[in-house]
Amino acid sequence: MAKKNQGGSGLMSSAGLMRYYDADKKAIHLDPKAIVVFGVICGVVVLLLSANFGTWP
């Protein structure tokens, strides 16, 4: 039977995870509440503009 390679397999897999999380720390992070508020404001603006220009359903 072939010998099992007992060296380094755990280190290699954890090294990939460390690189992933390090890259994630450099990304731009936005608060989910800010995204929801921005969406609601955009929706209200669209409704007001459609009412103003006579395209209200």
Side-chain angles (χ1 to χ4, degrees), residues 6-7 9 16 18 20 25 32 34 37 39 41 46 48-50 55-56:
Q6 295 180 356
S9 63
M18 292 302 292
Y20 172 75
K25 289 180 183 177
V37 169
I41 290 173
V46 167
L48 290 174
L49 287 173
S50 64
T55 59
W56 187 261

Side-chain angles (χ1 to χ4, degrees), residues 21-52:
Y21 287 116
D22 288 342
D24 189 43
K25 289 180 183 177
K26 297 176 185 177
I28 298 173
H29 295 280
L30 297 172
D31 188 27
K33 293 177 187 174
I35 303 298
V36 171
V37 169
F38 181 72
V40 169
I41 290 173
C42 287
V44 169
V45 167
V46 167
L47 288 175
L48 290 174
L49 287 173
S50 64
N52 188 28

